[in-house]
Amino acid sequence: MTNKTVGRDGDRDATRDQAASADAAKDVAQYKYLVRVATPGVLEQAHREAFAALAPEARERLLLRLRLDLPEDSRPTTSEPGQLARAAVAAHQGDQGYLVRMLRRPGHGVSEGRYATEAAAAPSGGLLFAGSVLGPVAAAAVASDSATHLLEGFDNSPEAAQLSAEVHVRPADAPGGGVWGGGGGGVTAMGDGGGGGGGV
């Protein structure tokens, strides 16, 4: 195998990695948008589907975290996806950042079960982030049929703007506000003067 061939293979691998990273970032951004705009019913259905797709060990980790965080009368009693979804969405109603934090670090603060033992033996913080389920839950939740119609507004959202340093959200009352300068607010390219070609 020549150096040139090795170089091409390396370039293809790098391109695939970059594409996968971009897809994962978009899934998380869409998920953050979803949890901001969806009704509790839609959120619960989307999370029931997402949690059902997780490995049993991951659902057990979520169960322990929810049992730690929630008051006794709101805690799930099993790792059944429906119970986890109801408890997680209920917690989200009182703390709009809870779902993302909990999914990113499901082992944080857990002091029962075998996962607590693993965490104590791991380097500081290592296992907690290694056990993150934010990516797979986000991907499954935004793919849910119950969430599809809500994502139609994603492209003009602050969450979409955060995907790129080259876009920003222009307030609706700003001069030329709107994706196409129409006054409705939205995401536009940095440096766009409000004309036609800069919207995202």
Side-chain angles (χ1 to χ4, degrees):
M1 183 177 294
T2 67
N3 290 338
K4 186 177 293 185
T5 301
V6 172
R8 284 198 297 268
D9 290 343
D11 289 344
R12 282 195 292 268
D13 289 344
T15 299
R16 282 195 294 269
D17 290 345
Q18 289 171 355
S21 179
D23 288 344
K26 184 175 182 180
D27 287 341
V28 171
Q30 288 184 324
Y31 177 75
K32 290 178 178 179
Y33 172 78
L34 180 66
V35 299
R36 180 168 64 83
V37 304
T39 64
V42 169
L43 277 184
E44 185 174 325
Q45 176 61 31
H47 283 84
R48 184 182 299 115
E49 296 174 25
F51 293 159
L54 293 175
E57 293 82 2
R59 289 199 297 272
E60 180 70 13
R61 201 180 287 264
L62 293 180
L63 171 65
L64 295 178
R65 175 66 187 270
L66 288 166
R67 288 182 61 80
L68 172 72
D69 290 348
L70 302 184
E72 186 172 356
D73 59 353
S74 300
R75 294 171 185 164
T77 57
T78 75
S79 59
E80 187 272 324
Q83 283 201 34
L84 297 179
R86 280 191 296 275
V89 171
H92 170 74
Q93 299 311 305
D95 177 357
Q96 298 295 300
Y98 177 77
L99 278 169
V100 172
R101 291 198 314 274
M102 186 269 291
L103 294 172
R104 181 177 287 134
R105 300 181 66 181
H108 182 64
V110 171
S111 58
E112 59 178 297
R114 65 187 181 89
Y115 299 113
T117 302
E118 292 172 358
S124 178
L127 180 76
L128 302 180
F129 286 103
S132 172
V133 293
L134 178 58
V137 168
V142 301
S144 168
D145 289 341
S146 62
T148 302
H149 67 287
L150 291 174
L151 294 176
E152 293 174 358
F154 170 74
D155 287 346
N156 296 331
S157 70
E159 291 81 5
Q162 292 174 0
L163 284 174
S164 172
E166 301 201 351
V167 296
H168 73 286
V169 177
R170 177 180 297 167
D173 58 357
V179 180
W180 304 110
V187 180
T188 62
M190 293 292 282
D192 183 290
V200 173

